Amino acid sequence: MATAGDGPWLDDAAGRLVRPFTVSNGRTRPSVALDLISQVMATGATPLGYLGPEHAQALDLCRAPVSVAEVAAHLKLPAAVTKVLLSDLVDCGALTTKPPEFHHNPTDRALLEAVLDGLRRQL
């Protein structure tokens, strides 16, 4: 039985009725290089052709700059599937993407050690 507000997409016993990789037509590789912290934003252009409901939801989430990870979390989809959906939207001109900006060297040993220490404290 579907939960109120979830429509036909969720079922209490079976879980998600449409499996995540069905949403991306089985594709696992995006056509555009996207990192989890890449920023995506709607351009205002109307996508041509048919896009699924997940594409529309993703586009709605991207009215302001948002990270790929945030879009995946809101859509409740794996990051790999979300990247494919977002790359479809970039390909049709509905989204623009900006790679993450690092104000620090991402391979800086001190930064990596600080991250590791923080993770150890969480465990």
Side-chain angles (χ1 to χ4, degrees):
M1 169 171 259
T3 308
D6 290 330
W9 301 109
L10 295 174
D11 181 273
D12 291 337
R16 188 177 180 91
L17 296 178
V18 176
R19 298 296 176 218
F21 286 96
T22 303
V23 171
S24 64
N25 293 323
R27 294 174 295 146
T28 58
R29 294 213 168 120
S31 58
V32 176
L34 293 169
D35 194 296
L36 287 176
I37 57 176
S38 294
Q39 297 287 304
V40 288
M41 184 174 169
T43 62
T46 304
L48 299 175
Y50 173 76
L51 295 175
E54 290 81 5
H55 286 93
Q57 289 173 333
L59 191 55
D60 188 51
L61 291 168
C62 297
R63 287 177 285 176
V66 63
S67 72
V68 172
E70 289 177 85
V71 174
H74 284 289
L75 294 178
K76 297 179 182 164
L77 288 172
V81 173
T82 302
K83 287 178 182 182
V84 171
L85 293 177
L86 294 174
S87 72
D88 290 346
L89 292 168
V90 169
D91 289 343
C92 72
L95 282 185
T96 185
T97 181
K98 183 172 134 183
E101 292 181 18
F102 291 104
H103 298 289
H104 304 285
N105 179 357
T107 58
D108 177 33
R109 183 177 179 93
L111 175 63
L112 294 174
E113 286 176 355
V115 169
L116 183 59
D117 288 341
L119 290 172
R120 284 184 180 145
R121 276 187 249 126
Q122 294 296 319
L123 299 175

